Amino acid sequence: MAEPILQVRGLVKHYPLTQGIVFRKQIGAVKAVDGVDFELAAGETLGIVGESGCGKSTVAKMLVNLEKPTAGEIAYKGEDVTRLSGRALKAVRRNIQMVFQDPYTSLNPRMTVGDIIGEPYEIHPEVAPKGDRRRKVQDLLDVVGLNPEYINRYPHQFSGGQRQRIGIARGLALRPEIIVADEPVSALDVSVQAQVINLMDRLQTEFDLSYVFIAHDLSIVRHISDRVGVMYLGRIVEIGRDAEIYDHPTHPYTQALLSAVPVPDPEAREHRERIILFGDVPSPANIPSGCRFRTRCWKAKERCALEVPLLAVPAEFRHEAAGPAAHDSACHFAEEKQVVPPEEPQEESKKESPAEPVDKIQDEPTDDVK
Ligand SMILES: Nc1ncnc2c1ncn2[C@@H]1O[C@H](COP(=O)(O)OP(=O)(O)O)[C@@H](O)[C@H]1O
Ligand SMILES: [Mg+2]
């Protein structure tokens, strides 16, 4: 396998928990990200999913250098970017851009669309000389399906989907190789979500992009991801090729998340088991010993409190495991076939597609400027 474009090893972000106003004393740490490993191949999309608060945005911010890791390594083409500074860091940052979650708050309301999309050129003037910028921004508007004549309008004149197109255009301005998209469609209407995902899919081919695509829901990343990683309390608990994760999830948390994904076919819905997790997600300031999922897991045994399960390839998938395409699951009992909690009957319709494919809706930008 070719060297991955991005390699993340042991990534950690702990925020100190302090007490006292004058003499701040550290009394603990919020373990927002607590040992994350993954690789991203060139041209690939890695979906990262998990409930709110599990550390997805913190990982994204570290990838684009908006947060400094407490520990760990982020290697871009083999070079650890967490150790770079100055010019070398700037060159790498140009190649890893972010698309933010909320297009309503992430665009400056007092700047025109042209200034928003062209802002990265202020930091990297070498990419577009001043005289060239307006044309470049208009090209970008066209590329994301917006009318280039809108260049002088303000964000409030656009719909949510259009604003996210503006955010994407801005992310593309420096022609990056990697885009980290942090829940890019979560704030949008369901009908618009598919349009934006389809746009990103098309841009990936057009611009040779690699994506880290974050979502809180497995159904959103299915269409666009080659591989999917599932996060729980600051760690990836299962990662693998998209078909492996959706059709043969081996971590109980993934199984529970998948059981909550809407099924369009009513018959399949009848046969499907819902796995209801008990309890709340523990606080990242107070992570359970051993397996961090054990307090909510119906498979948990004594061993789970004592031993931290590592991401490893379950035996049944080992033969076809090749590099990062392998299917890894951080569960001591990943090899057990049992998919539903013991008191429930065995699921029969697992082969049914768990989610409505998002690509059914046409990718048609709407030009409904208010
Ligand atoms: N700057 C910060 N200071 C302290 N805690 C933080 C900070 N940023 C995030 N957290 C905490 O880290 C955890 C992970 O947050 P985040 O990465 O935003 O999760 P997600 O994007 O998955 O919802 C949460 O418990 C959050 O409250
Ligand atoms: Mg987030």
Side-chain angles (χ1 to χ4, degrees):
M1 215 203 94
E3 186 182 37
I5 193 162
L6 203 64
Q7 231 168 340
V8 171
R9 289 275 162 266
L11 195 62
V12 170
K13 181 72 192 181
H14 289 179
Y15 294 105
L17 257 181
T18 54
Q19 202 173 46
I21 293 165
V22 183
F23 301 103
R24 295 194 138 226
K25 201 176 112 200
Q26 186 170 344
I27 52 162
V30 176
K31 297 178 176 175
V33 175
D34 203 25
V36 160
D37 303 87
F38 65 81
E39 294 180 349
L40 181 71
E44 173 184 56
T45 299
L46 173 68
I48 293 186
V49 298
E51 284 165 286
S52 181
C54 71
K56 305 181 296 297
S57 294
T58 308
V59 168
K61 286 181 203 152
M62 288 192 281
L63 294 181
V64 298
N65 202 34
L66 287 174
E67 287 277 10
K68 236 186 142 28
T70 308
E73 199 175 285
I74 299 169
Y76 165 76
K77 294 184 174 170
E79 192 169 23
D80 184 5
V81 303
T82 64
R83 289 163 198 274
L84 296 179
S85 59
R87 207 182 266 242
L89 177 64
K90 203 173 155 186
V92 170
R93 286 187 72 171
R94 188 192 143 184
N95 279 313
I96 313 178
Q97 294 289 314
M98 181 143 160
V99 172
F100 293 90
Q101 171 166 7
D102 189 347
Y104 293 91
T105 57
S106 60
L107 306 179
N108 186 334
R110 279 183 286 274
M111 280 168 77
T112 65
V113 163
D115 289 340
I116 290 171
I117 297 174
E119 199 181 25
Y121 298 137
E122 302 289 330
I123 305 156
H124 292 272
E126 75 282 4
V127 182
K130 265 219 153 73
D132 250 6
R133 288 186 196 166
R134 196 175 162 83
R135 190 186 49 76
K136 281 210 180 243
V137 169
Q138 284 180 321
D139 284 350
L140 284 165
L141 281 168
D142 189 43
V143 154
V144 299
L146 292 172
N147 188 337
E149 287 170 18
Y150 295 168
I151 189 164
N152 293 323
R153 298 193 181 189
Y154 289 87
H156 75 265
Q157 294 175 287
F158 295 87
S159 67
Q162 290 174 324
R163 285 189 212 201
Q164 198 53 299
R165 286 172 195 267
I166 295 165
I168 292 167
R170 182 193 153 103
L172 286 175
L174 299 174
R175 293 295 167 96
E177 291 177 295
I178 301 172
I179 286 199
V180 180
D182 187 9
E183 301 202 36
V185 299
S186 294
L188 306 178
D189 286 349
V190 174
S191 59
V192 182
Q193 289 186 345
Q195 295 175 4
V196 172
I197 291 177
N198 287 341
L199 169 69
M200 289 188 67
D201 211 5
R202 177 166 65 72
L203 294 174
Q204 179 163 41
T205 319
E206 211 170 313
F207 292 90
D208 275 333
L209 295 164
S210 311
Y211 284 151
V212 175
F213 193 105
I214 296 172
H216 65 260
D217 185 334
L218 273 163
S219 65
I220 289 177
V221 294
R222 172 148 213 186
H223 169 60
I224 198 165
S225 300
D226 301 299
R227 284 184 307 129
V228 174
V230 177
M231 275 188 83
Y232 184 79
L233 262 186
R235 277 213 185 194
I236 290 179
V237 294
E238 181 160 12
I239 187 165
R241 269 184 234 146
D242 122 315
E244 296 282 294
I245 298 293
Y246 288 91
D247 297 336
H248 312 286
T250 59
H251 196 286
Y253 180 59
T254 314
Q255 292 166 355
L257 281 185
L258 272 175
S259 87
V261 165
V263 176
D265 174 0
E267 203 176 324
R269 198 156 53 220
E270 287 244 315
H271 291 290
R272 204 256 298 263
E273 304 300 336
R274 260 314 282 280
I275 301 171
I276 311 284
L277 291 177
F278 41 86
D280 292 325
V281 186
S283 157
N286 192 10
I287 289 175
S289 68
C291 171
R292 56 195 60 215
F293 183 60
R294 70 176 164 83
T295 55
R296 302 174 76 200
C297 183
W298 65 93
K299 285 185 179 177
K301 301 197 175 75
E302 207 182 328
R303 179 181 172 195
C304 304
L306 303 171
E307 233 179 280
V308 177
L310 300 174
L311 267 180
V313 188
E316 59 182 305
F317 300 117
R318 227 163 258 158
H319 59 282
E320 55 173 304
H327 177 184
D328 293 345
S329 185
C331 172
H332 292 310
F333 305 105
E335 274 140 79
E336 280 183 11
K337 284 274 186 215
Q338 177 195 39
V339 171
V340 290
E343 65 272 19
E344 309 214 25
Q346 195 69 35
E347 192 175 349
E348 278 164 15
S349 54
K350 257 188 60 212
K351 286 272 171 250
E352 300 288 345
S353 160
E356 180 161 23
V358 282
D359 54 342
K360 275 192 184 154
I361 301 164
Q362 291 265 304
D363 181 14
E364 253 189 23
T366 45
D367 282 342
D368 56 335
V369 171
K370 277 178 241 157

